[in-house]
Amino acid sequence: VDPCHDEGGAPRGCVPGLVNAALGREVLASSTCGRPATRACDASDPRRAHPSALLTSAGGTASPLCWRSDLLHRVPLNVTLTVPLGKAFELVFVSLRFCSAPPASVALLKSQDHGRSWAPLGFFSSRCGLDYGRPPAPADGPAGPGPEALCFPAPQAQPDGGGLLAFSVQDGSPPGLDLDSSPVLQDWVTATDIRILLTRPASVGDTRDSEAMVPYSYSATELQVGGRCKCNGHASRCLLDTQGHLTCDCRHGTEGPDCGRCKPFYCDRPWQRATAWEAHACLACSCNGHARRCRFNMELYRLSGRRSGGVCLNCRHNTAGRHCHYCREGFYRDPGRPLSDRRACRACDCHPVGAAGKTCNQTTGQCPCKDGVTGLTCNRCAPGFQQSRSPVAPCVKTP
Amino acid sequence: EVMPTLDMALFDWTDYEDLKPEV
């Protein structure tokens, strides 16, 4: 079963499955304990190390091994966890399990350009105004028409001493938006990297008095980034390419890491994201097998009623035209061969003396003959005429 | 009636040297 085509072979929108995009990915932590070694944490001893790799490894949850930051002694107490996802994903949720009392303030950010710029997805705090200058999130979602980074309550401490940070992309999105039809929602859920800023430990209250602080370390495990590899509806899976980069297994005449453009010869109409009801496949140009390249022309596309805008380039086999669908000057269509045949266009072969020119009728192959000359290539004198010695008037009336 | 094809050898190119096709 091909998820990207129906039983009849017609293209249909398809998407990769929901995965934990962070699984096995390297996590860049701004602080990790064990260097230098302490009694509780030694980075050089696997039994006492707490590296950031534990956040995204597929360990069991019964007795989780946790990443742990250095002991932090004074405000600010920021620690950053960054997970490059390798390519664009469409997020569904982000979660992080804390192994000790969860922080009182956390900011969740995303990048869409592999870490060059960042935008907030959400904030979590017991005091949104003080920590992030934002009001607490309204119960019914964002007030505006589009998604927003809202400030939600900080993760609650669980009876086991830990806690769970859980964020769903729906939390910041107004109800009723549909991913297929909403470009702003598509933008909202798209991320190449996730960053979690742990900005205030649970033990630090409203005061910013560093003197009153007890040394603290953040500790967490099971960082999950639930999402789908972003392929714009044109692939059902992502694979590692020859250079080890995750990339969509593009169908529908598309290419690129996210199937975000049409393949070179598939430019008969503009690229579009597929939806659940329309595949919007890129269509190959119609060049009758006589061209390998084509370009898109928006004006022709509009004039055709948004059906076809491809223009074939470098028509071969003596063909010409937007679709290489007629013969170039000096050639005519051989009616015995299909248009796609390499020899569909035959040379006019007009006689150098009997013909008045070199260009024949493109349909019949008839060359323009001088007076008294006949034949498809003008190579004979007509009945009642005979050959003369003059190349200007090769046939004269028989006396 | 099928007429013979034009015989290039019969043409006199004396005054039309510039029109003479390359063979």
Side-chain angles (χ1 to χ4, degrees):
Chain A
V1 176
D2 179 355
C4 299
H5 295 87
D6 66 17
E7 295 78 5
R12 64 181 173 192
C14 50
V15 291
L18 182 64
V19 296
N20 175 10
L23 187 65
R25 305 295 307 184
E26 183 185 13
V27 181
L28 307 168
S30 64
S31 167
T32 298
C33 69
R35 281 198 180 91
T38 63
R39 196 174 58 179
C41 183
D42 181 355
S44 61
D45 180 355
R47 292 169 300 176
R48 290 194 295 142
H50 294 274
S52 59
L54 294 171
L55 287 161
T56 52
S57 57
T61 54
S63 174
L65 297 169
C66 303
W67 158 81
R68 193 182 294 170
S69 74
D70 258 331
L71 273 178
L72 307 164
H73 295 276
R74 57 176 62 87
V75 175
L77 300 159
N78 293 344
V79 170
T80 305
L81 299 173
T82 305
V83 200
L85 304 177
K87 77 172 291 300
F89 275 77
E90 291 185 334
L91 304 178
V92 176
F93 68 88
V94 178
S95 68
L96 179 65
R97 185 174 297 283
F98 292 98
C99 301
S100 56
S105 293
V106 180
L108 179 60
L109 310 176
K110 67 163 185 178
S111 171
Q112 295 183 321
D113 52 14
H114 299 279
R116 280 185 285 278
S117 62
W118 294 89
L121 278 172
F123 302 92
F124 303 84
S125 177
S126 54
R127 44 178 215 189
C128 289
L130 271 174
D131 287 341
Y132 298 117
R134 290 165 186 266
D140 51 355
E148 281 175 46
L150 302 177
C151 188
F152 303 99
Q156 293 296 301
Q158 301 296 309
D160 64 359
L164 181 71
L165 175 83
F167 172 78
S168 164
V169 290
Q170 290 179 343
D171 293 343
S173 173
L177 283 188
D178 172 57
L179 193 61
D180 274 343
S181 54
S182 170
V184 289
L185 186 57
Q186 290 161 16
D187 181 70
W188 171 247
V189 302
T190 297
T192 57
D193 306 65
I194 291 294
R195 178 170 281 176
I196 299 173
L197 293 174
L198 309 172
T199 55
R200 187 163 58 93
S203 57
V204 179
D206 289 344
T207 175
R208 285 183 176 265
D209 181 2
S210 59
E211 300 300 321
M213 241 217 71
V214 180
Y216 179 92
S217 70
Y218 296 107
S219 179
T221 187
E222 279 182 57
L223 170 55
Q224 296 197 14
V225 178
R228 299 176 193 279
C229 192
K230 182 184 175 87
C231 299
N232 288 296
H234 296 303
S236 62
R237 60 179 182 170
C238 280
L239 303 169
L240 290 175
D241 67 11
T242 50
Q243 277 125 33
H245 299 132
L246 194 62
T247 188
C248 295
D249 181 20
C250 297
R251 313 297 298 274
H252 304 161
T254 63
E255 66 171 18
D258 309 337
C259 308
R261 59 178 184 262
C262 291
K263 285 162 73 175
F265 193 67
Y266 288 72
C267 51
D268 202 38
R269 62 185 183 188
W271 177 91
Q272 264 189 282
R273 180 186 168 100
T275 66
W277 57 89
E278 177 61 58
H280 292 304
C282 293
L283 296 181
C285 286
S286 171
C287 299
N288 293 294
H290 299 304
R292 290 178 184 160
R293 294 192 303 127
C294 65
R295 64 177 167 77
F296 177 74
N297 184 303
M298 181 54 91
E299 197 170 342
L300 288 174
Y301 181 66
R302 289 205 187 106
L303 287 170
S304 72
R306 307 183 72 81
R307 287 202 319 214
S308 170
V311 178
C312 304
L313 299 174
N314 299 331
C315 291
R316 296 178 302 160
H317 312 136
N318 304 308
T319 60
R322 186 184 154 192
H323 302 296
C324 306
H325 58 298
Y326 58 79
C327 299
R328 71 181 176 94
E329 200 174 288
F331 292 79
Y332 69 100
R333 275 282 286 119
D334 182 342
R337 297 179 186 276
L339 181 54
S340 58
D341 194 300
R342 288 166 61 95
R343 287 182 287 177
C345 290
R346 295 179 64 167
C348 292
D349 199 24
C350 297
H351 196 277
V353 177
K358 293 180 177 176
T359 304
C360 61
N361 183 305
Q362 288 194 334
T363 309
T364 63
Q366 177 63 58
C367 294
C369 297
K370 292 177 180 173
D371 280 348
V373 184
T374 189
L376 195 68
T377 60
C378 309
N379 63 341
R380 300 171 191 276
C381 288
F385 287 78
Q386 66 183 35
Q387 183 172 348
S388 73
R389 287 171 53 78
S390 166
V392 177
C395 298
V396 292
K397 276 195 172 166
T398 307
Chain B
E1 185 185 3
V2 178
M3 305 296 284
T5 55
L6 295 173
D7 184 351
M8 295 293 278
L10 292 182
F11 291 118
D12 176 6
W13 296 96
T14 306
D15 297 328
Y16 307 102
E17 197 60 40
D18 54 333
L19 297 179
K20 190 174 183 180
E22 288 183 16
V23 180

